Structures are given as C-alpha cells and as structure tokens.
Amino acid sequence: SSTATYGDFSGGCSALSNCGTLSGGLSGISQFCQESGKTFSLKTCQKFNGTTFNSQYCGNLPQNIAFPSWLVQGLGGQSVAVSTLQTTLSTFSTTASCKAKWTNMVCVLVPFCSSDRTKLLSAVTESQCRDAIACLPSSLQTSLQRIYDCSIYPKDNGQRMCMSATQAYQNKDVTSSSCNSAT
C-alpha cells in the first residue's frame, strides 16, 4: 500500500494539555498531536530543508532522507523540542546514561519514508522507547510515558528494511543502524 496511518496517540496529547508547566516546554509536539491517527500518502514525501534537528545534540540528517510531507512543516520545531527535553531531563536529575538513551531516541524519532515511498520507517523500536521511559526518575516517568506512547513503535522482531546511509538516520552518538523498522 502507498498509504500509512500515523499512530493514535491522542490520549497522550490530551494528558499533555493537562500537565501544566511541563506542557509549555514541550509545545513543539503540537504539530504531531494534530496528526494523530491520520492516514497520508507515502508518495508525497519530501526532504526537510534543514541539515539537522538540533546541532547541539543530533548529528546531520542524511543527505537524501525524506519525510512524509505533512510532517515536514513541523520539523523546524524539533530543535526546540530536543533542547527542551534535555533541560527537562536535567531538571529532574536524570542520570547521564538515561539522558544518552533519550538523546539517541529523540534524534531519530521522526518517522521517514523508504526510498521507494512504499513504507513508513522508524529508527525507534517499542523496546527502545520502553527502556528510555524505564530509566527516568519516577517523578518524570508518568508524564513522558503519556507523551511517548511506546506501543506505536515497531516491535524489535518486526520487518526491517536496510537503506543507504544517505537515506536513513545515521546521527552522531546514535546507535541506530541503517536497517530500520517498518511501522
């Protein structure tokens, strides 16, 4: 099929709006909340005009990586979202190893299109997401668990697609391979 449905994480978005001060810092995800559960065409993928999501924490994006068109307009907000998450993790005294898990995950969190535009791919798996949630201080776990619904990510043993390093995430300090999971 040349269409895909983005995961339904409306419950997490609803909870986010009730988080008070925490939600103000994570407002960059509002674009994604608006797209929860929508079906879109994979044939309308395009490149993001930026070279990175966040130069301080994430490496350069692959030269030919393409994202679903409906996501591209909101990708500029990723830089603020990544920085705000780092600040939040520090505020809640998150361990260095846990911060590294989160950095590794958020730098490759945005789903992208396969080179033939027939699949939506994810560099994040359900277990990577659950591991990142589990390492958080309990005071932060519940909030981020509602925002990041790990069940929308592919299982570790799901279908994999290997792509050129110019078309799939290969960010600095990110352990993601060039074989990504189909969502």
Side-chain angles (χ1 to χ4, degrees), residues 51-123:
T51 58
T52 183
F53 289 142
N54 184 298
S55 60
Q56 184 177 357
Y57 298 105
C58 306
N60 287 338
L61 290 170
Q63 183 178 11
N64 297 316
I65 194 168
F67 301 97
S69 296
W70 56 267
L71 275 178
V72 172
Q73 70 179 10
L75 292 182
Q78 276 297 101
S79 180
V80 173
V82 170
S83 293
T84 301
L85 178 65
Q86 295 296 324
T87 301
T88 301
L89 294 174
S90 293
T91 300
F92 282 84
S93 302
T94 307
T95 66
S97 63
C98 189
K99 281 184 193 176
K101 281 183 186 186
W102 277 93
T103 301
N104 288 345
M105 187 172 85
V106 298
C107 286
V108 299
L109 192 64
V110 179
F112 59 101
C113 302
S114 62
S115 55
D116 63 2
R117 309 294 200 260
T118 60
K119 293 193 179 353
L120 181 63
L121 303 178
S122 174

Side-chain angles (χ1 to χ4, degrees), residues 26-40:
L26 298 175
S27 60
I29 68 165
S30 64
Q31 166 71 23
F32 299 106
C33 289
Q34 294 170 8
E35 304 301 332
S36 176
K38 287 187 179 177
T39 298
F40 59 93

